[in-house]
Amino acid sequence: MSPAESKSILKSKTVWANIATALVMLAAVANVELSAEEATAIVTGVFTLVNVVMRLVTKGQAHIV
């Protein structure tokens, strides 16, 4: 798919959802005492769920600006 047939990555719901999730998870982990393994498991789990949901609602590909 050429860039003309895709949208800018800045308009990608998946990219913005991942950025938002990362910021929330970093804030949550920074304020809670968790082991590295627990923090990794939480972040991985949340990213996985967000990516699956976003993939289901995504209509097309995105290109890097």
Side-chain angles (χ1 to χ4, degrees):
M1 185 173 273
S2 71
E5 298 169 347
S6 64
K7 63 182 170 186
S8 167
I9 197 168
L10 298 176
K11 293 182 181 179
S12 170
K13 292 181 292 275
T14 303
V15 170
W16 287 110
N18 282 316
I19 290 170
T21 302
L23 292 174
V24 170
M25 292 308 301
L26 289 172
V29 171
N31 292 324
V32 178
E33 291 187 29
L34 296 173
S35 70
E37 293 81 14
E38 290 170 325
T40 300
I42 291 169
V43 171
T44 302
V46 170
F47 277 157
T48 300
L49 292 174
V50 167
N51 280 315
V52 168
V53 170
M54 295 308 293
R55 184 64 255 172
L56 293 173
V57 300
T58 300
K59 294 179 176 67
Q61 292 182 346
H63 65 272
I64 297 176
V65 184

